[in-house]
Amino acid sequence: MAESAVGFLLDKLSRFVEYEIQLLGGGREEVLYLRGKLEHLWAFLKVADAFEECDEELKVWIKQVREIAYDTEDALDEFTLLQVHDHGDGFYGSLSRLSCCIKNRKARSRIVYELQGINSRITNICKGYERLLHKMNKAEQGSGSTSASNTWQDRRGDALLIDKIDLVGIDEPKQKLVQDLMKGGCGREVVPVAAMGGMGKTTLAKQVYDDAEVKKHFKIRAWITVSQSFKIEELLKDMIREIFRVVSRPVPEGLDSMNNNRLRRIIKDLLQKRRYLIVLDDVWRLHEWDAVKYALPNNDYGSRVILTTRNTDVASTSVAESGGEVFNLKPLASKESWDLFCRKTFQGNACPTYLEEICKNILKRCEGLPLAIVAISGVLATKDKRRIDEWDMVCRSFGAEIDGNDKLKDLKKVLSLSFNDLPYYLKSCFLYLSIFPEDYLIERMRLIRLWIAEGFIEAKEGKTPEEVAEDYLNELLNRGLLQVADTTSDGRVKMYHVHDLLREIIVSKSRDQKFTVIAKDQNVVWYDKVRRLSIHNTLQNVQENISVSQLRSLFMFGVLEKLFMHTIFPRGFRLLHVLDLQNARLKKFPIDIVNLYYLKYLSLRGTKVKIIPSFIGKLQNLETLDLKHTRVTELPVEILKLQRLRHLLVYHFKLESYEYFHSRYGFQVQESIGHLRSLQKLCFIEANGGGSTIMTELGKLNQLRRLGILKLRKEDGKSLCSSLKRLTNLRALSITSIGKEEILDLQHLSSPPLLIQRLYVRGRLETLPHWLPSLHGLVFEGDMLSFRMGGFKKLKVLGLDKFSELRCMKVEVGAMPCVEKLIIQRCKLLKRVPEGIEYLAKLKVLEFFDMPEEFIQTLHPGEKGSDYWKVAHIPQAYSTYWREGGWEVNSLESLSEGDNSPRPNTIIIKSHDLQTRWK
């Protein structure tokens, strides 16, 4: 990943040349020469990156370039620090400036000398550039590939030869896939099979391909392996040879000299009037499918194409044309995993009881990945069953086994292919995930902010860094390198998870490339000039006297000791960009942070810090300040000096309270909050302190994407609405009133921010805001809805869908006098029907869908013959209860009294397995 380091350095050099180079004196020419050479090398590195794994000479060369980039960055940062020293005022300030002037002169000379040495190194490196370029071009012409996979023996064919008796958990997905092939329309349809590497996509597709029913249905079948070594000409020729073999016809003469269009035409003419099944195995990129699809005629014979891929974007795009669905292959279930493990490890015999716990811990690391289970079983099958220590060693040193055991070489190869195929800008982002502990759930926005602070996100016109980072995350997700661990109520990804074996791969690569040091035990491999340090579990793993002067990022996970920064790192880390102390044992703001001029990301989330000192204003480069779940309730006025601050999170919950209005606490905001013009997220400010003044100031923050307001008073609603119309970039807005009885006055907004996607409202609404219909992308959510008299005089239909935090709903007399239909669906926390619903005098239809069990159980059918319904607890078997009460439960269209006389009111209840209408 030298290309990321060089790219980041070039950005820094550009700023240095523009603003600071004149301060360096005689070093100007050295800096300009260095920038020119690095620009040349950066372009080459983007291409060379794909060859790094398969060429040792290139790997060494890239390592040297990376070290030059790091050393240059250190020299420039050290020089910049000299210029930002605060000397103070008066006599002592003058003495300080004089002293620094002398020191700076010496420091400039030293830095110029360092740059001369760096330029000498880079000159020598450039001598090897031409030779390596020639070598790469020759290799590419010979193999047609830019991937390291060509240096390994391709074992992909093994999946085509597996006996059915060795397969586990294949029957159900096979049956489903066979059905997908046989049913459907008469046009050509694509059936993509998507999953991460090693999941068994090829094995499943081959079992379907060889199925007797499939063979009978599709007379023309062809299996084509695409893989990373894709070349369109060779692929089309392979297809022609295979198809002509199946139809028992000779291959056309001159095949090897034909161009792509001619090759496609031959395939299309041959298949035009035939029902065919083509398997395209291991498609990596969308352009590979685009290159082939026009050769496969979209005839009316019910032809099918099975496409296996690791990339869900390829899968979803290919299937969109025919309107089908992606077949997402799932990991093996626990029982299936255990069956496969025992079959391969113990040759079908039962696992000895004394090895069960160890074996299940090993199996857990495989996370249902068939290839991993088979590979690790091959290692364990040769172990002496009496040597429990050897089995335990495999469990404890799983990562080392993957690195050093030849029997796991193929597993490492398959998993590494996905990493090697990443574009250069994603490799550093993915390697960065190695900082998180095993089985750690990675919060989406935390990762985005960290990537930005590290400088991994490239600038793109028209997009914020956060939006570009979101694209990066989606690309990693589409490639199967990330898994969704949790989502929000409106379907947005909240947490990610990295498969344990993929994590072992990136931990290994991170160590090899000196990307990160992970201190999780006493056997940590330290190296000079540590740039990122992730401490797991205990500070005792941090060795004394290690060099951290070049440290850029520091993380702590699960560290239980009290934290004293100056005792751990007595020599400091002045160049730090990222300091993530989430959940650390801290009670006071670390005074050492005052010297971290370059700090961009500071998280004290989950600590017991109460007070933020005034010197926070010295952190001029700070972009993220995360004080969520701390005890901070106000910030010093110096916070307004942080002009680059993009994300300010200050709030916590009191979990012991079930009263939602009094369980969330924000912070008292400065009345001049409008000075922080770079803010993207501001959560949660308490509005009762500054009232209308603060609400007016918010209108100056026109970059805001998310805004959270607590303790809003009715009289401040007008000022808030005036500011909201200026926040045109706002995507999410959360508003909570100062108390349950306080009315939220949101009627004064004439032109709301049209980009709002999420609106969270907690409080009383006399009327729903008139501007809601104009927010077409909105998901509206609330904790309590209160409808008061005169609120909706003409409303006839009211629907509430997916109010994920709605716990209660109240209707007062005369609130909605004309409502005839009320629909409530997917409100998971609503435990009972709305209070006061009997005041809806004209209600004819009440519809519930996908509501919690407790909610359904509160519905009582009322006495037979009555013209009303009431709320009461009923037995679990409510449908039987209704039948016994004289009601027929037949279908959605038919439910009536025994004498078929109509009822004046209608209730439709839909809940998972229950669909009934009560008349």
Side-chain angles (χ1 to χ4, degrees), residues 498-511:
V498 182
H499 192 286
D500 200 28
L501 298 182
L502 275 175
R503 181 182 174 277
E504 293 293 351
I505 295 294
I506 59 175
V507 166
S508 172
K509 290 183 179 296
S510 178
R511 182 173 56 248

Side-chain angles (χ1 to χ4, degrees), residues 571-590:
R571 286 180 289 177
F573 29 75
R574 299 193 305 158
L575 305 183
L576 207 65
H577 286 57
V578 171
L579 181 58
D580 193 327
L581 302 179
Q582 181 166 326
N583 297 322
R585 292 195 64 186
L586 271 177
K587 290 187 177 180
K588 293 184 178 180
F589 192 94

Side-chain angles (χ1 to χ4, degrees), residues 15 73 122 133 281 418 420 502 517 599 605 637 907:
R15 294 192 298 271
E73 183 187 359
I122 205 170
L133 180 62
D281 185 34
S418 294
N420 296 336
L502 275 175
V517 167
L599 197 65
R605 178 185 294 204
V637 68
I907 296 178

Side-chain angles (χ1 to χ4, degrees), residues 6-178:
V6 173
F8 182 70
L9 175 59
L10 284 171
D11 288 339
K12 181 165 289 191
L13 278 170
S14 296
R15 294 192 298 271
F16 188 86
V17 168
E18 185 174 357
Y19 299 112
E20 299 181 60
I21 196 169
Q22 68 276 7
L23 301 174
L24 195 56
R28 175 184 177 85
E29 295 303 320
E30 302 294 339
V31 172
L32 295 178
Y33 175 83
L34 177 62
R35 186 174 69 167
K37 289 294 184 181
L38 286 173
E39 286 174 344
H40 198 54
L41 292 179
W42 190 46
F44 174 69
L45 283 167
K46 291 181 181 181
V47 180
D49 172 76
F51 290 88
E52 183 177 3
E53 293 295 327
C54 60
D55 192 302
E56 288 300 321
E57 182 186 11
L58 180 60
K59 187 179 292 187
V60 171
W61 185 85
I62 289 177
K63 174 177 175 290
Q64 293 172 343
V65 174
R66 182 167 55 245
E67 289 175 349
I68 282 179
Y70 287 159
D71 290 346
T72 306
E73 183 187 359
D74 292 342
L76 295 178
D77 284 351
E78 291 285 359
F79 176 77
T80 300
L81 277 181
L82 295 174
Q83 316 307 316
V84 297
H85 187 71
D86 185 5
H87 302 287
D89 299 320
F91 176 72
Y92 291 105
S94 299
L95 284 179
S96 176
R97 277 187 287 274
L98 179 61
S99 174
C100 278
C101 183
I102 297 172
K103 291 179 181 178
N104 288 355
R105 188 173 301 159
K106 294 180 179 178
R108 278 196 292 268
S109 299
R110 186 187 74 248
I111 290 171
V112 170
Y113 179 75
E114 290 177 4
L115 290 175
Q116 289 172 346
I118 289 172
N119 280 339
S120 177
R121 288 160 59 192
I122 205 170
T123 300
N124 291 331
I125 282 179
C126 288
K127 292 178 181 178
Y129 160 73
E130 295 293 339
R131 183 180 70 258
L132 287 170
L133 180 62
H134 176 73
K135 185 178 180 180
M136 283 170 50
N137 289 335
K138 186 176 180 180
E140 186 170 8
Q141 292 170 4
S143 66
S145 170
T146 61
S147 100
S149 61
N150 288 326
T151 66
W152 285 320
Q153 179 185 1
D154 189 3
R155 297 287 302 277
R156 184 164 204 84
D158 291 357
L160 308 179
L161 303 175
I162 295 177
D163 293 328
K164 189 173 183 180
I165 195 174
D166 291 329
L167 300 176
V168 171
I170 197 96
D171 292 339
E172 185 176 334
K174 176 190 171 184
Q175 183 180 2
K176 173 70 167 59
L177 200 53
V178 169

Side-chain angles (χ1 to χ4, degrees), residues 321-343:
E321 300 169 9
S322 55
E325 294 181 354
V326 176
F327 188 93
N328 291 299
L329 188 57
K330 304 297 182 184
L332 293 179
S334 297
K335 184 180 182 303
E336 294 168 341
S337 296
W338 183 249
D339 290 345
L340 179 59
F341 179 84
C342 291
R343 183 181 300 180

Side-chain angles (χ1 to χ4, degrees), residues 678-800:
S678 298
L679 277 180
Q680 300 273 315
K681 179 174 181 177
L682 176 60
C683 292
F684 280 84
I685 63 172
E686 295 186 351
N688 60 322
S692 297
T693 302
I694 291 177
M695 295 302 101
T696 301
E697 280 287 301
L698 293 177
K700 300 176 182 178
L701 305 177
N702 56 12
Q703 295 300 312
L704 272 183
R705 259 61 176 178
R706 175 155 189 186
L707 173 62
I709 302 173
L710 301 176
K711 301 182 180 180
L712 185 68
R713 301 174 301 188
K714 180 181 179 180
E715 58 263 33
D716 297 328
K718 187 172 183 179
S719 299
L720 173 61
C721 289
S722 177
S723 289
L724 287 177
K725 68 181 181 181
R726 299 165 62 185
L727 304 183
T728 55
N729 290 303
L730 202 62
R731 273 29 174 217
L733 174 63
S734 177
I735 303 174
T736 301
S737 66
I738 196 169
K740 289 191 297 184
E741 298 303 317
E742 187 78 9
I743 295 171
L744 290 174
D745 185 9
L746 304 176
Q747 296 298 321
H748 305 283
L749 187 54
S750 56
S751 54
L754 297 180
L755 298 178
I756 286 185
Q757 300 167 347
R758 301 182 302 283
L759 176 62
Y760 306 84
V761 179
R762 300 169 182 90
R764 296 184 64 174
L765 290 173
E766 287 189 315
T767 58
L768 282 177
H770 64 86
W771 40 266
L772 278 180
S774 64
L775 303 179
H776 300 292
L778 182 66
V779 175
F780 181 87
E781 302 193 6
D783 174 64
M784 185 187 86
L785 291 179
S786 180
F787 299 94
R788 303 198 68 184
M789 182 176 180
F792 303 95
K793 296 180 179 180
K794 298 182 180 181
L795 188 68
K796 291 188 176 183
V797 178
L798 174 63
L800 305 176

